[in-house]
Amino acid sequence: MSLWSLSVGASARVSSVTGGAGNVAAQRLIDIGFRKGQPVSCLLQPGFGAPRVFALGNATYSLDKETADLVILTHDTPS
Amino acid sequence: MKNVLLVGAPNSGKSALFNRLTGLQHKVANYPGITIDVGSGALRSDTRAQVWDFPGTYSLNAISGEEEVAIDALRSALADDRPAVVAMVLDATRLEKGLTYCLQVAREAARSKKPFLVLLNMMDILEHNELALDLDGLRASLGVPVLPVSARTGDGVEAAEAALLSTRAAQSPWADTPDALIEGSAQQIADRFVPQGELLVRRQAKIDNWLLGTASGGVAFVVIMTLFFQAIFTWSAPLMDGVEAFVLGLGAWLVPLVPEGVFADFFEDAVFGGLGAFLVFVPQIFVLTLIIGALEDSGYLARAALICHRPLSYFGLSGKSFVPLLSGVACAIPAIYAARTMSSRQERLMTYVAIPLMPCSARLPVYALLITVLIPDTTVFGGLVGWQGLVMSSIYFFGIVSALLVASVASRLGESESRKQAFILELPAYRTPNILPIIHASVNRSGHFIQKAGSIIFTVTVVVWFLGYFPNGGEDLSTSWLATLGTWIQPVFEPLGLDWRYGVAILASFLAREVFVGTLGTIFGIENADDDPAPLAERITESGLTAASGAALVVFFTIALQCVSTVALLARESKSTGFAMRLLLGYLLLAWIGAFAVHGVVSMF
């Protein structure tokens, strides 16, 4: 399951960030904290395919579909 | 002299801290990636120390050309032999986002034998929300001094200044740490020390539910943007009128002191006329910078970028292009300044490409004149809709569509980076705008416009005046050097069915588009055509301007980049005269081809 498919209010943990070496978006996601085991939740899904809003720790990020799809989640829901 | 290298993640409050440390009102905004140039200023407590504010980035691994420039600048500063201390600004409320970058820079600083310390900013917000952070534990884990500060309240800044000047500042212990361990350590430190409790996120999410909700977000967006437009058009109008009246009044007072003749004419038309032509934009730039600054600082601008990202991405633009394009409907000058908030150079260039096509207010008098000439003043739908108004709306719509289409084509022809940039935008916390630095930034921006763009605009004004005034002392524009030039370029406009008079008016309109109306008025012998274009429209109709040529003129004005101020500012802001010249020539060519095509089509009917 990718981060984009996380429904509003739901939480999960990051399993991996795909895209391979040299993928700048993947590298940036890792830099800002999308790392294995980190809890992430979806705060908002604005309409019309707009980028969605996710909480990672105390920070809030807006990611478009292509970028959010790089983040793979585990089914292990954080407490 | 000692250097203080201030680095940190976007939106960590680094520029606000820079202001505190230097007393300078450096541009500060609550928007990721706002610092584009490396700012500098003397340390307030010891002016022998120079503080350098490096552009914010999340990592030493650049993901855009802009970040690469910023990181190269930091590496050069670290490699410099002069004594320097590296100060990493971390947002205490969002510690995790800056830790990887912190450790990467700590490693580079250690390798360069530069002392390193951490300034833990926004401690006031933590305290306000009764959230705790183990400072001693963080110091021990990072192995470097960690000083709690608040750029907003000034708490801890004195202690930070003392630490920056201390000769005992520590070398970081990360010199030999490999990348993988840096990432792992950043994660461990984040897990251990990030303040727990999602209070800040929850509070922000409540407001976001309103401002980004599908229905409520749309309504809020329209309301905020309507107010924004009102500010540019309505609030700045009295100030613009005031500036114009002041320059005219000054001219009326000073010109009689100069002996009559060429000098008096020069001062009246070129100096005061020219001054008025560009100074009138200053209030608009001030108001626009003020409003955009307040929107940025409140945290809303990042949300506006999110809302607009999807539709604009179809045209190779980003959500962050929205505000500059919107400003372009008023005037390209403040629009170009507004694009400074975009962190990616490629995205900025694509926005610069689109801005000149947005239907700016200077085109309005030209369209009004040509519509009066070409379109009968009749109505449809029981008098509810006038043909002239309908045509005016269509011309505006044509301008906006042209801007988006040209941006779309340019982005596809450009570098791959501009075609598909990952959209990763940190949404800053909502807060009350800190108004004083915003006012200072607005004043600085206005002064910058007067100083830089003004000199170029004024020079060109003088040249055009000179060509129009000589050799007959301003007696008759039709025998001036400008008219001679108009005759030379007549072959260019003949295929559009336009004679030398329109050629001269088009040439003069490169000062500012609205000059077209006044120049045609002078040529056709109609005074005050700017204020009342009806007699001029009548004279133009009598002179036999065909519908095909009129339509060609409309298309030409919709596309051509006829504004010295815009070209000068594009060259300056893009840091490339070549880019501005290519836009000028490209749009001229496109305007001519479009006008020629429309002339041909309309002539068939």
Coordinates of all heavy atoms in Angstrom, one line a residue, chain A residues 24-25 27-33 35-36 38 41 43-53 55-64 66-67, chain B residues 57-59 61-63 67 93-94 96-97 100 183 186-187 191 194-195 197-198 201 204 208-209 212 214 306 309-310 420 422-427:
Chain A
V24 N 15.5 11.9 -7.1 CA 15.7 13.0 -6.2 C 14.5 13.2 -5.2 O 14.7 13.5 -4.0 CB 15.9 14.3 -6.9 CG1 17.3 14.4 -7.6 CG2 14.8 14.6 -7.9
A25 N 13.3 12.8 -5.7 CA 12.1 12.9 -4.8 C 12.2 11.9 -3.7 O 12.0 12.3 -2.5 CB 10.9 12.7 -5.6
Q27 N 15.0 10.6 -2.5 CA 16.0 11.1 -1.6 C 15.5 12.2 -0.6 O 15.8 12.2 0.6 CB 17.2 11.6 -2.4 CG 18.4 12.0 -1.5 CD 18.9 10.9 -0.7 OE1 19.2 9.8 -1.1 NE2 19.1 11.2 0.6
R28 N 14.7 13.1 -1.2 CA 14.2 14.2 -0.3 C 13.3 13.7 0.7 O 13.3 14.1 1.9 CB 13.6 15.3 -1.2 CG 12.9 16.4 -0.5 CD 13.8 17.1 0.5 NE 15.2 17.3 0.2 CZ 15.7 18.3 -0.4 NH1 14.9 19.4 -0.6 NH2 17.0 18.4 -0.7
L29 N 12.4 12.7 0.3 CA 11.5 12.1 1.3 C 12.3 11.5 2.5 O 11.9 11.6 3.6 CB 10.6 11.0 0.6 CG 9.5 11.6 -0.3 CD1 8.9 10.5 -1.2 CD2 8.4 12.3 0.4
I30 N 13.4 10.8 2.1 CA 14.2 10.2 3.2 C 14.8 11.3 4.1 O 14.8 11.2 5.3 CB 15.3 9.3 2.6 CG1 14.6 8.1 1.9 CG2 16.3 8.8 3.6 CD1 15.5 7.3 1.0
D31 N 15.3 12.3 3.4 CA 15.9 13.4 4.1 C 15.0 14.1 5.2 O 15.4 14.5 6.2 CB 16.4 14.5 3.2 CG 17.6 14.1 2.3 OD1 18.3 13.2 2.7 OD2 17.8 14.7 1.2
I32 N 13.7 14.2 4.8 CA 12.8 14.9 5.7 C 12.2 13.9 6.7 O 11.4 14.4 7.6 CB 11.7 15.7 5.0 CG1 10.9 14.8 4.1 CG2 12.3 16.8 4.2 CD1 9.7 15.6 3.4
G33 N 12.5 12.7 6.7 CA 12.1 11.7 7.7 C 11.2 10.6 7.4 O 10.8 9.9 8.2
R35 N 11.3 7.5 6.8 CA 12.2 6.3 6.9 C 11.4 5.1 7.5 O 10.4 5.3 8.2 CB 13.4 6.7 7.8 CG 14.2 7.9 7.3 CD 15.5 8.0 8.1 NE 16.0 9.4 7.8 CZ 15.9 10.4 8.6 NH1 15.3 10.3 9.7 NH2 16.4 11.6 8.3
K36 N 12.0 4.0 7.3 CA 11.4 2.7 7.7 C 10.9 2.8 9.2 O 11.7 3.2 10.1 CB 12.3 1.6 7.5 CG 11.7 0.2 7.8 CD 12.6 -0.9 7.4 CE 11.9 -2.2 7.7 NZ 12.7 -3.4 7.4
Q38 N 8.7 4.7 10.6 CA 8.1 6.0 11.0 C 6.6 6.0 10.9 O 6.1 5.7 9.8 CB 8.8 7.2 10.3 CG 10.2 7.5 10.7 CD 10.3 7.7 12.2 OE1 9.7 8.6 12.7 NE2 11.0 6.8 12.8
S41 N 0.5 9.7 9.1 CA -1.0 9.7 9.0 C -1.5 10.7 7.9 O -0.7 11.6 7.5 CB -1.6 10.1 10.3 OG -1.2 11.3 10.7
L43 N -3.9 13.5 6.9 CA -4.7 14.5 7.5 C -5.9 15.0 6.6 O -7.0 15.3 7.1 CB -3.9 15.7 7.9 CG -2.8 15.5 9.0 CD1 -2.0 16.8 9.2 CD2 -3.4 15.0 10.3
L44 N -5.6 15.1 5.3 CA -6.5 15.7 4.4 C -6.4 15.2 3.0 O -5.3 14.9 2.5 CB -6.3 17.2 4.3 CG -7.1 18.2 5.2 CD1 -6.5 19.6 5.2 CD2 -8.6 18.2 4.8
Q45 N -7.5 15.1 2.3 CA -7.5 14.8 0.9 C -8.3 15.8 0.2 O -9.5 15.6 -0.1 CB -8.1 13.4 0.6 CG -7.2 12.3 1.2 CD -7.8 10.9 0.9 OE1 -8.8 10.7 0.3 NE2 -7.0 9.9 1.2
P46 N -7.7 17.0 -0.1 CA -8.5 18.0 -0.8 C -9.0 17.5 -2.2 O -8.4 16.5 -2.7 CB -7.5 19.1 -1.1 CG -6.4 18.9 -0.1 CD -6.3 17.4 0.1
G47 N -10.1 18.0 -2.7 CA -10.7 17.5 -3.9 C -9.9 17.7 -5.2 O -8.9 18.4 -5.2
F48 N -10.5 17.2 -6.2 CA -10.0 17.4 -7.6 C -8.5 17.0 -7.8 O -7.8 17.7 -8.6 CB -10.2 18.9 -8.0 CG -11.5 19.4 -7.8 CD1 -11.8 20.3 -6.8 CD2 -12.6 18.9 -8.6 CE1 -13.1 20.7 -6.6 CE2 -13.9 19.4 -8.4 CZ -14.2 20.3 -7.4
G49 N -8.1 15.9 -7.1 CA -6.7 15.4 -7.3 C -5.6 16.3 -6.8 O -4.5 16.1 -7.2
A50 N -6.0 17.2 -6.0 CA -4.9 18.1 -5.4 C -4.0 17.3 -4.5 O -4.3 16.2 -4.0 CB -5.6 19.2 -4.6
P51 N -2.8 17.8 -4.3 CA -1.8 17.1 -3.4 C -2.5 16.9 -2.0 O -3.3 17.7 -1.6 CB -0.7 18.1 -3.3 CG -0.7 18.9 -4.5 CD -2.1 19.0 -4.9
R52 N -2.2 15.7 -1.4 CA -2.8 15.4 -0.1 C -1.9 15.9 1.1 O -0.7 16.1 0.8 CB -3.1 13.9 0.0 CG -4.1 13.5 -1.0 CD -4.5 12.1 -1.0 NE -5.6 11.8 -2.0 CZ -6.0 10.7 -2.4 NH1 -5.4 9.6 -1.8 NH2 -7.0 10.5 -3.2
V53 N -2.4 15.9 2.2 CA -1.7 16.4 3.4 C -1.4 15.3 4.4 O -2.4 14.6 4.8 CB -2.5 17.6 4.1 CG1 -1.7 18.1 5.2 CG2 -2.8 18.7 3.1
A55 N 0.8 13.9 8.0 CA 1.6 14.3 9.2 C 2.7 13.3 9.4 O 2.5 12.1 9.3 CB 0.7 14.3 10.4
L56 N 3.9 13.8 9.6 CA 5.0 13.0 9.9 C 5.7 13.6 11.1 O 6.3 14.7 11.0 CB 6.0 12.9 8.7 CG 7.3 12.1 8.9 CD1 7.0 10.6 8.8 CD2 8.3 12.5 7.9
G57 N 5.6 12.9 12.3 CA 6.0 13.5 13.5 C 5.2 14.8 13.7 O 4.0 14.8 13.6
N58 N 5.9 15.9 14.0 CA 5.1 17.1 14.3 C 5.1 18.0 13.0 O 4.6 19.1 13.1 CB 5.8 17.9 15.4 CG 5.6 17.3 16.8 OD1 4.5 16.8 17.0 ND2 6.6 17.4 17.6
A59 N 5.6 17.5 11.9 CA 5.6 18.3 10.7 C 4.4 17.8 9.8 O 4.0 16.7 9.8 CB 6.9 18.2 10.0
T60 N 4.0 18.7 8.9 CA 2.9 18.4 8.0 C 3.4 18.7 6.6 O 4.0 19.8 6.3 CB 1.7 19.4 8.2 OG1 1.5 19.4 9.6 CG2 0.5 18.9 7.5
Y61 N 3.2 17.7 5.7 CA 3.7 17.9 4.3 C 2.6 17.6 3.3 O 1.7 16.8 3.6 CB 4.8 16.8 4.0 CG 6.1 17.1 4.9 CD1 6.3 16.3 6.0 CD2 7.0 18.0 4.5 CE1 7.4 16.5 6.8 CE2 8.1 18.3 5.3 CZ 8.3 17.5 6.4 OH 9.4 17.7 7.2
S62 N 2.7 18.3 2.2 CA 1.7 18.1 1.1 C 2.5 17.5 0.0 O 3.6 18.0 -0.4 CB 1.2 19.5 0.7 OG 0.5 19.3 -0.5
L63 N 2.0 16.3 -0.4 CA 2.7 15.6 -1.5 C 1.7 15.3 -2.6 O 0.5 15.0 -2.4 CB 3.2 14.2 -1.0 CG 4.1 14.2 0.3 CD1 4.4 12.8 0.6 CD2 5.3 15.0 0.1
D64 N 2.2 15.4 -3.9 CA 1.3 15.0 -5.0 C 1.3 13.5 -5.1 O 2.1 12.8 -4.5 CB 1.7 15.7 -6.3 CG 3.1 15.4 -6.7 OD1 3.8 14.6 -6.0 OD2 3.6 15.9 -7.8
E66 N 2.3 11.3 -7.5 CA 3.6 10.7 -8.0 C 4.6 10.5 -6.8 O 5.3 9.5 -6.7 CB 4.2 11.4 -9.1 CG 3.4 11.4 -10.4 CD 2.2 12.3 -10.4 OE1 2.0 13.1 -9.5 OE2 1.4 12.3 -11.4
T67 N 4.6 11.6 -6.0 CA 5.6 11.5 -4.9 C 5.1 10.6 -3.7 O 5.9 9.8 -3.2 CB 5.8 13.0 -4.4 OG1 6.1 13.8 -5.5 CG2 7.0 13.1 -3.4
Chain B
T57 N 17.7 24.4 3.1 CA 17.5 23.2 2.4 C 17.4 22.0 3.4 O 17.8 22.1 4.5 CB 18.7 23.0 1.4 OG1 18.6 21.7 0.8 CG2 20.0 23.1 2.0
Y58 N 16.9 20.9 3.0 CA 16.6 19.8 3.9 C 17.8 18.8 3.9 O 17.9 17.9 4.7 CB 15.4 19.0 3.4 CG 14.1 19.7 3.6 CD1 13.5 20.4 2.5 CD2 13.5 19.8 4.9 CE1 12.3 21.1 2.7 CE2 12.3 20.5 5.0 CZ 11.7 21.2 3.9 OH 10.6 21.8 4.1
S59 N 18.8 19.0 3.0 CA 19.9 18.0 2.9 C 21.0 18.6 2.1 O 20.8 19.6 1.3 CB 19.3 16.8 2.3 OG 20.3 16.0 1.6
N61 N 22.1 16.8 -0.2 CA 21.8 16.2 -1.5 C 20.8 17.1 -2.3 O 19.6 17.1 -1.9 CB 21.2 14.8 -1.4 CG 22.1 13.9 -0.5 OD1 23.3 13.9 -0.7 ND2 21.5 13.3 0.5
A62 N 21.3 17.9 -3.2 CA 20.4 18.8 -3.9 C 19.4 18.1 -4.8 O 19.7 17.1 -5.4 CB 21.2 19.8 -4.7
I63 N 18.1 18.6 -4.8 CA 17.2 18.1 -5.8 C 16.8 19.1 -6.8 O 15.9 18.8 -7.7 CB 15.9 17.5 -5.1 CG1 15.1 18.7 -4.4 CG2 16.2 16.5 -4.0 CD1 13.6 18.2 -4.1
E67 N 18.9 24.5 -5.3 CA 19.6 24.0 -4.1 C 21.0 23.7 -4.3 O 21.8 23.9 -3.4 CB 18.8 22.7 -3.7 CG 17.5 22.9 -3.0 CD 17.0 21.6 -2.4 OE1 17.6 20.6 -2.5 OE2 15.9 21.7 -1.9
T93 N 10.1 22.5 17.4 CA 8.8 21.9 17.3 C 8.7 20.8 16.2 O 7.9 20.0 16.2 CB 7.7 22.9 17.0 OG1 7.9 23.4 15.7 CG2 7.7 24.0 18.0
R94 N 9.7 20.9 15.2 CA 9.7 19.9 14.2 C 11.2 19.4 14.0 O 11.7 19.5 12.9 CB 9.2 20.5 12.9 CG 7.8 21.0 12.9 CD 7.3 21.7 11.7 NE 5.9 21.9 11.7 CZ 5.2 22.2 10.6 NH1 5.8 22.5 9.5 NH2 3.9 22.4 10.6
E96 N 12.7 16.6 13.8 CA 13.1 15.5 12.9 C 13.4 16.0 11.5 O 14.2 15.3 10.9 CB 12.0 14.5 12.9 CG 10.6 14.9 12.3 CD 9.7 15.6 13.3 OE1 10.2 16.2 14.3 OE2 8.5 15.6 13.1
K97 N 12.8 17.0 11.1 CA 12.9 17.4 9.6 C 14.3 18.0 9.3 O 14.8 17.9 8.2 CB 11.9 18.4 9.2 CG 12.1 19.8 9.7 CD 11.2 20.8 9.1 CE 11.5 22.2 9.6 NZ 10.7 23.2 9.2
T100 N 18.9 15.3 9.7 CA 19.8 14.7 8.7 C 20.7 15.8 8.2 O 22.0 15.6 8.1 CB 19.0 14.1 7.5 OG1 18.2 13.0 8.1 CG2 19.9 13.5 6.5
E183 N 22.1 8.9 8.5 CA 20.7 8.8 8.5 C 20.1 8.0 9.7 O 19.1 8.4 10.3 CB 20.3 8.1 7.2 CG 20.2 9.0 6.0 CD 19.9 8.3 4.7 OE1 19.5 7.1 4.7 OE2 20.1 8.9 3.6
A186 N 20.3 10.2 12.8 CA 19.3 11.3 12.7 C 18.0 10.7 13.2 O 17.2 11.3 14.0 CB 19.2 11.8 11.3
Q187 N 17.7 9.4 12.7 CA 16.5 8.8 13.1 C 16.4 8.5 14.6 O 15.4 8.7 15.3 CB 16.3 7.5 12.3 CG 15.0 6.8 12.4 CD 13.9 7.8 12.0 OE1 13.8 8.2 10.9 NE2 13.0 8.2 13.0
D191 N 13.8 9.9 17.2 CA 12.9 9.1 18.0 C 13.0 9.4 19.5 O 12.0 9.3 20.2 CB 13.3 7.6 17.8 CG 12.9 7.1 16.4 OD1 12.1 7.8 15.8 OD2 13.5 6.1 16.0
V194 N 12.4 14.1 19.8 CA 11.3 14.9 19.2 C 10.1 15.0 20.3 O 9.7 14.0 20.8 CB 10.7 14.3 17.9 CG1 9.4 14.9 17.6 CG2 11.7 14.5 16.8
P195 N 9.7 16.3 20.5 CA 8.6 16.4 21.5 C 7.4 15.6 21.2 O 6.9 15.7 20.0 CB 8.3 17.9 21.5 CG 9.5 18.6 20.8 CD 10.1 17.5 19.9
G197 N 3.4 14.3 21.3 CA 2.2 15.0 21.4 C 1.9 15.7 20.1 O 2.7 16.5 19.7
E198 N 0.8 15.4 19.5 CA 0.5 16.0 18.2 C -0.3 17.2 18.3 O -1.1 17.5 17.4 CB -0.2 14.9 17.3 CG 0.6 13.7 17.0 CD -0.2 12.6 16.4 OE1 -1.4 12.6 16.5 OE2 0.5 11.7 15.8
V201 N 0.1 19.7 15.3 CA -0.4 19.1 14.1 C -2.0 19.2 14.1 O -2.6 19.6 13.2 CB 0.1 17.7 13.8 CG1 -0.7 17.1 12.7 CG2 1.6 17.7 13.6
Q204 N -3.3 22.7 13.7 CA -3.2 23.1 12.4 C -4.2 22.4 11.5 O -4.8 23.0 10.6 CB -1.8 22.8 11.9 CG -1.4 23.4 10.6 CD 0.0 23.0 10.3 OE1 0.9 23.3 11.1 NE2 0.3 22.4 9.1
D208 N -6.9 23.6 8.6 CA -6.7 23.1 7.3 C -8.0 22.5 6.8 O -8.3 22.5 5.6 CB -5.6 22.1 7.2 CG -4.2 22.8 7.0 OD1 -4.2 24.0 6.6 OD2 -3.2 22.2 7.4
N209 N -8.7 21.8 7.7 CA -10.0 21.2 7.3 C -10.9 22.3 6.7 O -11.7 22.0 5.7 CB -10.7 20.6 8.5 CG -10.2 19.2 8.8 OD1 -9.8 18.5 7.9 ND2 -10.2 18.8 10.0
L212 N -8.7 24.0 3.4 CA -8.4 23.1 2.3 C -9.5 22.1 2.0 O -9.4 21.2 1.1 CB -7.1 22.3 2.6 CG -5.8 23.1 2.8 CD1 -4.7 22.2 3.2 CD2 -5.5 23.8 1.5
T214 N -12.9 20.7 0.3 CA -13.3 20.8 -1.1 C -14.2 22.0 -1.3 O -14.0 22.8 -2.2 CB -14.0 19.5 -1.6 OG1 -13.1 18.5 -1.3 CG2 -14.2 19.6 -3.1
L306 N -0.9 24.7 -2.8 CA -1.4 23.3 -2.8 C -2.7 23.2 -3.7 O -2.9 22.4 -4.5 CB -1.7 22.9 -1.4 CG -2.1 21.5 -1.1 CD1 -1.8 21.2 0.4 CD2 -3.6 21.2 -1.4
H309 N -2.0 23.7 -7.4 CA -1.0 22.9 -8.1 C -1.5 22.0 -9.2 O -0.9 22.0 -10.3 CB -0.3 22.0 -7.0 CG 0.8 21.2 -7.6 ND1 2.0 21.7 -8.1 CD2 0.9 19.8 -7.9 CE1 2.7 20.7 -8.6 NE2 2.1 19.6 -8.5
R310 N -2.6 21.3 -8.9 CA -3.1 20.3 -9.9 C -3.4 21.0 -11.3 O -2.9 20.6 -12.3 CB -4.3 19.6 -9.3 CG -4.9 18.6 -10.2 CD -4.1 17.3 -10.3 NE -4.8 16.2 -10.9 CZ -4.3 15.1 -11.2 NH1 -3.1 14.8 -10.9 NH2 -5.0 14.1 -11.8
K420 N 8.8 18.1 -14.7 CA 8.1 17.3 -13.7 C 8.9 17.5 -12.4 O 9.9 16.7 -12.1 CB 8.0 15.8 -14.1 CG 7.2 15.0 -13.1 CD 5.8 15.6 -13.0 CE 5.2 15.2 -11.6 NZ 4.0 16.0 -11.3
A422 N 9.0 17.2 -8.4 CA 8.2 16.5 -7.3 C 7.6 17.6 -6.5 O 8.2 18.6 -6.2 CB 9.1 15.7 -6.5
F423 N 6.3 17.4 -6.1 CA 5.7 18.4 -5.2 C 5.7 17.9 -3.8 O 5.0 17.0 -3.4 CB 4.2 18.6 -5.7 CG 3.5 19.7 -5.0 CD1 3.7 21.0 -5.4 CD2 2.7 19.5 -3.9 CE1 3.1 22.1 -4.8 CE2 2.1 20.6 -3.2 CZ 2.3 21.9 -3.7
I424 N 6.7 18.5 -3.1 CA 6.9 18.2 -1.7 C 6.9 19.5 -1.0 O 7.8 20.3 -1.1 CB 8.2 17.4 -1.4 CG1 8.3 16.2 -2.2 CG2 8.3 17.1 0.1 CD1 9.6 15.5 -2.1
L425 N 5.8 19.9 -0.3 CA 5.7 21.2 0.3 C 5.4 21.0 1.8 O 4.4 20.4 2.2 CB 4.6 22.0 -0.4 CG 4.4 23.4 0.0 CD1 5.6 24.2 -0.5 CD2 3.2 24.0 -0.6
E426 N 6.3 21.6 2.6 CA 6.0 21.6 4.0 C 4.9 22.7 4.3 O 5.1 23.8 3.8 CB 7.3 21.9 4.8 CG 7.0 21.8 6.3 CD 8.2 22.2 7.1 OE1 9.3 22.4 6.5 OE2 8.1 22.4 8.3
L427 N 3.9 22.3 5.0 CA 2.9 23.3 5.4 C 3.2 23.9 6.7 O 3.2 23.2 7.8 CB 1.5 22.6 5.4 CG 1.0 22.0 4.1 CD1 -0.4 21.4 4.3 CD2 1.0 23.0 3.0

